[in-house]
């Protein structure tokens, strides 16, 4: 008997006329948000986000995507301004 991971993200990669679905599973909410940020950064299609085996609500989906987008923004600001995450968080309010 296997235990369902807390978070499950389905995503797809598309090459020309071929589409392949993949998934990522974790029990860590921060790892989930970071993975979503990586998908957004690479413009990879997010198909579904599930929590405890059930699709998240629209509100939860939006919250997770906003958190992931904040991570992406913080990464870009850090690189552009040559500042660390703590400084970016202090100056701009993005998560460190």
């Amino acid at each position: 008997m296997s235990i369902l991971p807390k978070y499950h993200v389905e995503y797809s990669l598309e090459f020309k006329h071929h589409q392949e679905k993949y998934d990522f599973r974790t029990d860590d909410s921060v790892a989930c948000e970071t993975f979503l940020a990586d998908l957004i950064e690479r413009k990879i299609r997010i198909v579904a986000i599930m929590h405890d085996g059930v699709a998240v609500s629209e509100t939860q989906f939006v919250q997770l995507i906003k958190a992931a987008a904040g991570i992406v923004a913080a990464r870009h600001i850090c690189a552009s301004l040559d500042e660390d995450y703590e400084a970016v968080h202090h100056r701009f309010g993005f998560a460190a």
Side-chain angles (χ1 to χ4, degrees), residues 56-74:
V56 297
S57 69
E58 179 63 21
T59 302
Q60 292 169 320
F61 184 89
V62 169
Q63 288 172 340
L64 286 165
I65 296 300
K66 278 184 178 181
I71 293 168
V72 173

Side-chain angles (χ1 to χ4, degrees), residues 40-59:
I40 291 169
E41 181 82 41
R42 291 167 179 80
K43 300 174 184 148
I44 295 174
R45 187 173 187 293
I46 298 166
V47 177
I49 304 172
M50 288 168 266
H51 184 260
D52 292 331
V54 178
V56 297
S57 69
E58 179 63 21
T59 302

